[in-house]
């Protein structure tokens, strides 16, 4: 074991060592006695192979940029920066805590253009990985440690395939449309009766918007589970489908919630099919469930019941979590979730907390580890289709670059493609559908990339499904 002595009482140091151990696949821990291999502090005379200098905290102006692999050959030179404060800067979002209230969108999401990641040019670089790789190369040079890395043998990156199930019903499904209209009208009138006129009006407005969208869309197909599973299976891949259990016409639902009934027989058949293919059913946590762990737990067990299998993982619909997210991330463990995948930028690819690797988040407000593994999501359908000129080929090219950058940083991250966009079943979403198939081709052709469902990725990093 690499023994680390620290002149710091901050419990984050031990937490960061756990992350380093997992990323480098080297056992690293705090030293019990006086002797150490790595010393974290500012006593230049302390005996050690590597001294990591200590500062209070980084600011945006001095937080280390991509450090590369430059190595100072002088034996006595300390590590070039305070590794622990640098990792903490990104993982606890220190660079984005001063963002003005008005800069978050209506779903409490930070836009990429207001982020420290964007200002520092590291939006699509998992910079925490870069810090950890640099430290790994110091362990190799100074201590002769073999740094194998936590990825499967021979791989430079690992990708989790995942699908949010938001609008899986074909737009031309008249039975479904009638039920939906009935339910939404009932919701609007019950709101009106309870004196909630504004809610009633916005319910009617979304009904109107929705009906307009469905008219003339008879041949559009959104129910593409079978096709998506087939395409993935052709490459030997598994994936995770996140289903929502709360609808927009439930009393405690939000108008942003989904409009399908997860407990219908046709969904039961889909759950069975997903399991039969070795893929996974996860929970798409509803819009308002961030309010309590009990709500998330109720949704998780409802989906377990309906799908007749254990549900271990989640993603929040609209990435809608508490702001900052620490409270909601902590609720995941209380709700029985072993992993979550909700750390992402919405409108752009990249690394919302600077890391492209499964990690246990750190709650800086309470100074403790959050026990549900987080698999960062680095790209989604919408984030590669921001421009009206985007098509399957431009999305493929952009994805190839993102993947290369992830491989350079020995990274692990999730792709999020909605079910209706994961296969060209609808004219409106055809290019996104083709893009997903292109991405599957890119992944299948690259022997340096491992691909799996979210639970397969989680179990690679010690969280059993
Ligand atoms: Zn969603």
């Amino acid at each position: 074991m690499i023994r680390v002595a620290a002149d710091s009482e901050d419990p984050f140091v031990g937490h960061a060592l756990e992350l380093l151990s997992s990323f480098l696949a080297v056992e690293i821990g705090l030293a019990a006695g006086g002797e150490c291999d790595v010393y974290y502090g500012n006593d230049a005379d302390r005996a050690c192979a590597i001294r990591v200098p200590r500062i209070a905290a980084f600011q945006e102006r001095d937080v280390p940029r991509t450090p590369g692999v430059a190595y100072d050959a002088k034996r006595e030179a300390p590590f070039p920066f305070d590794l622990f404060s640098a990792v903490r800067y990104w993982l606890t979002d220190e660079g984005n805590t001063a963002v003005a209230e008005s800069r978050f969108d209506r779903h409490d999401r930070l836009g990429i253009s207001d982020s420290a990641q964007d200002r520092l040019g590291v939006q699509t670089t998992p910079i925490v990985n870069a810090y950890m790789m640099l430290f790994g190369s110091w362990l190799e040079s100074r201590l002769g440690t073999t740094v194998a890395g936590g990825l499967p043998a021979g791989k430079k990156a690992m990708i989790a395939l995942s699908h949010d199930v938001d609008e899986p019903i074909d737009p031309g499904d008249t039975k479904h449309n009638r039920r939906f209209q009935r339910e939404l009208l009932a919701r609007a009138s019950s709101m009106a009766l309870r004196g909630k006129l504004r809610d009633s009006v916005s319910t009617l407005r979304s009904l109107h918007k929705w009906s307009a969208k469905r008219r003339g869309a008879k041949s559009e197909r959104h129910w593409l589970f079978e096709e998506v599973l087939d395409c993935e299976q052709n490459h030997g891949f598994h994936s995770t489908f996140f289903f929502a259990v709360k609808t927009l016409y439930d009393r405690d639902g939000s108008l942003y919630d989904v409009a399908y009934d997860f407990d219908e027989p046709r969904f039961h058949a889909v759950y069975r099919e997903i399991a039969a293919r070795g893929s996974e059913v996860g929970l798409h946590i509803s819009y308002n469930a961030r309010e309590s762990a009990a709500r998330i737990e109720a949704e998780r067990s409802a989906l377990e019941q309906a799908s007749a299998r254990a549900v271990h993982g989640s993603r929040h619909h609209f990435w809608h979590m508490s702001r900052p997210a620490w409270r909601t991330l902590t609720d995941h463990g209380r709700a029985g979730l072993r992993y979550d995948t909700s750390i992402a930028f919405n409108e752009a690819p990249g690394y919302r907390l600077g890391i492209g690797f499964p990690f246990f988040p750190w709650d800086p407000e309470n100074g403790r580890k959050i026990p549900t593994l987080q698999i960062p999501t680095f790209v989604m359908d919408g984030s590669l289709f921001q421009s009206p000129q985007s098509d399957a080929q431009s999305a493929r090219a952009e994805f190839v670059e993102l993947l290369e950058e992830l491989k350079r940083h020995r990274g692990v991250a999730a792709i999020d493609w909605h079910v209706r966009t994961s296969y060209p079943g609808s004219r409106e979403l055809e290019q996104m559908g083709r893009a997903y198939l292109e991405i599957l081709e890119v992944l299948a052709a690259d022997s340096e990339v491992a691909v799996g469902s979210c639970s397969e990725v989680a179990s690679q990093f010690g969280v059993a499904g």
Side-chain angles (χ1 to χ4, degrees), residues 404-447:
E404 286 306 315
E405 185 71 346
L406 188 69
K407 283 167 68 179
R408 272 193 287 279
H409 294 92
R410 306 269 157 178
V412 178
I415 294 177
D416 176 12
W417 235 252
H418 291 81
V419 170
R420 66 186 189 281
T421 59
S422 293
Y423 184 84
S426 99
R427 208 173 326 143
E428 189 196 348
L429 303 169
E430 186 189 345
Q431 289 301 316
M432 283 187 182
R434 295 201 182 284
Y436 186 68
L437 303 187
E438 294 281 345
I439 285 173
L440 293 182
E441 299 277 347
V442 168
L443 293 172
D446 192 334
S447 62

Side-chain angles (χ1 to χ4, degrees), residues 38-335:
V38 177
Y39 160 62
Y40 176 41
N42 297 326
D43 176 358
D45 297 328
R46 178 75 186 253
C48 62
I50 299 172
R51 181 172 76 82
V52 177
R54 184 172 165 229
I55 62 165
F58 282 110
Q59 306 296 320
E60 191 167 314
R61 62 173 182 279
D62 59 4
V63 72
R65 311 306 202 260
T66 318
V69 288
Y71 174 66
D72 194 326
K74 280 193 296 175
R75 293 298 295 177
E76 68 275 19
F79 194 71
F81 56 88
D82 178 342
L83 176 69
F84 300 94
S85 294
V87 170
R88 196 189 59 216
Y89 178 87
W90 295 105
L91 285 197
T92 66
D93 212 22
E94 286 171 15
N96 294 312
T97 46
V99 177
E101 185 80 7
S102 61
R103 306 305 299 172
F104 288 87
D105 75 3
R106 74 169 84 169
H107 306 297
D108 279 328
R109 302 178 299 206
L110 175 69
I112 186 77
S113 57
D114 288 305
S115 67
Q117 282 86 341
D118 183 53
R119 287 189 298 275
L120 296 176
V122 296
Q123 171 198 336
T124 56
T125 298
I127 188 158
V128 173
N129 299 31
Y131 299 157
M132 295 194 290
M133 287 172 73
L134 182 66
F135 187 69
S137 72
W138 276 57
L139 290 181
E140 284 179 323
S141 310
R142 290 269 174 104
L143 285 156
T145 312
T146 306
V147 177
L151 291 167
K155 303 298 178 186
K156 290 186 176 168
M158 190 167 188
I159 296 289
L161 298 177
S162 68
H163 308 280
D164 291 354
V165 185
D166 280 2
E167 292 180 41
I169 312 287
D170 292 338
D173 183 332
T174 44
K175 197 169 148 212
H176 171 80
N177 292 348
R178 271 201 298 273
R179 173 176 178 191
F180 179 80
Q181 280 165 342
R182 210 169 50 237
E183 298 272 16
L184 222 53
L185 282 172
R187 178 185 161 124
S189 56
S190 113
M191 297 250 172
L193 284 172
R194 283 186 284 145
K196 295 180 161 182
L197 284 180
R198 198 187 303 184
D199 286 342
S200 176
V201 168
S202 54
T203 302
L204 289 172
R205 208 175 277 144
S206 65
L207 175 60
H208 178 73
K209 227 167 71 189
W210 181 84
S211 307
K213 223 167 95 184
R214 300 226 137 196
R215 267 197 297 273
K218 292 253 179 317
S219 59
E220 301 284 278
R221 294 192 49 241
H222 287 188
W223 188 268
L224 299 165
F225 295 100
E226 197 82 26
E227 287 84 348
V228 175
L229 285 165
D230 282 345
C231 292
E232 291 172 348
Q233 193 171 39
N234 285 342
H235 298 299
F237 297 158
H238 300 144
S239 67
T240 302
F241 293 77
F242 293 109
F243 291 87
V245 311
K246 189 68 67 185
T247 71
L248 77 173
Y249 38 80
D250 285 323
R251 243 193 126 114
D252 53 354
S254 148
L255 281 177
Y256 294 115
D257 279 323
V258 303
Y260 64 85
D261 180 356
F262 75 106
D263 212 5
E264 277 179 4
R266 59 175 153 178
F267 280 94
H268 297 164
V270 164
Y271 304 142
R272 278 194 299 275
E273 186 62 26
I274 288 171
R277 308 285 193 108
S279 283
E280 182 194 12
V281 170
L283 176 66
H284 203 26
I285 300 176
S286 78
Y287 194 80
N288 289 331
R290 69 174 190 178
E291 281 162 22
S292 74
R295 286 189 64 152
I296 299 173
E297 163 57 17
E299 294 184 3
R300 193 187 67 80
S301 41
L303 185 60
E304 271 194 349
Q305 199 101 53
S307 66
R309 46 194 47 85
V311 171
H312 294 310
S314 58
R315 177 176 294 130
H316 285 261
H317 187 43
F318 282 81
W319 319 102
H320 195 235
M321 296 184 281
S322 58
R323 177 158 61 84
W326 320 123
R327 186 176 52 74
T328 300
L329 295 175
T330 302
D331 280 349
H332 293 152
R334 298 184 179 126

Side-chain angles (χ1 to χ4, degrees), residues 21-25 148-152 357 460-461:
S21 299
S22 162
F23 182 80
L24 301 172
L151 291 167
F357 195 76
Q460 174 72 26
F461 298 96

